[in-house]
Amino acid sequence: TLAIASGAGAADATLAGTVTRAQTDGEVTFTGLVIRRAGDAYRLSASAPSLTGAESEPFDITPANAAKLAVLTHPPATIQAGAPLSPAPRFEIRDAFDNHVPTATHLVTVAIPSGAGPAAADLAGTLARAAIAGVATFDDLFIARAGTGYALAAAAPGLGVTPNGSVWWRVTGP
């Protein structure tokens, strides 16, 4: 039986696949095993009844290719019209397994989606930012028109958006 060794790799990682196999001629081969959580110093632990266990040498798992955006900061319930959105909206680039991709530099854009907030509402500030270390931060955005039901949606070429990929804002009067 194989398992991730205690204290190795990311705390929430799991080893998926067939982790128990019977030996053939004194050897056991495991194929199709997967660890989806990026992390450093993983070790696999092998055990069998009436045999001394063994551990692999440490190995690292890096994130897969960038696949989606996720929201890092969530807004307060109310912000003032014309004031910078605070906390600043931050979007993280992740792989398909929800690992942060620190090498990603995608251009991320933000907008008020159609039908969100009052008609003719404009989002102002820098609406496109290149991600730095896999994170795009929009620290100068503001909405001048008071209203409710605002949404702020982010997008980047080639990336999907997680189900919570839109941040909802409520803007009060000036």
Side-chain angles (χ1 to χ4, degrees):
T1 300
L2 279 183
I4 298 172
S6 178
D12 61 345
T14 57
L15 182 62
T18 304
V19 297
T20 301
R21 298 253 186 207
Q23 63 87 20
T24 302
D25 295 328
E27 292 185 11
V28 180
T29 301
F30 291 88
T31 59
L33 297 177
V34 177
I35 299 173
R36 291 182 173 94
R37 179 65 55 211
D40 297 329
Y42 278 96
R43 294 182 322 281
L44 295 180
S45 174
S47 62
S50 71
L51 295 176
T52 302
E55 278 193 8
S56 72
E57 291 294 318
F59 59 94
D60 300 337
I61 296 187
T62 59
N65 293 329
K68 61 186 175 182
L69 289 172
V71 176
L72 279 185
T73 57
H74 294 280
T78 303
I79 59 171
Q80 186 174 5
L85 301 181
S86 180
R90 296 177 64 219
F91 299 91
E92 182 177 69
I93 298 173
R94 296 184 180 175
D95 68 12
F97 309 107
D98 254 356
N99 294 300
H100 172 229
V101 182
T103 57
T105 57
H106 294 70
L107 184 65
V108 179
T109 58
V110 292
I112 298 172
S114 177
D122 287 324
L123 180 64
T126 306
L127 304 180
R129 299 267 176 154
I132 298 172
V135 176
T137 302
F138 294 86
D139 56 2
D140 67 346
L141 297 178
F142 66 93
I143 301 169
R145 186 180 187 116
T148 60
Y150 278 106
L152 180 65
L159 301 182
V161 178
T162 59
N164 66 343
S166 293
V167 180
W168 289 89
W169 302 87
R170 178 173 167 247
V171 180
T172 61

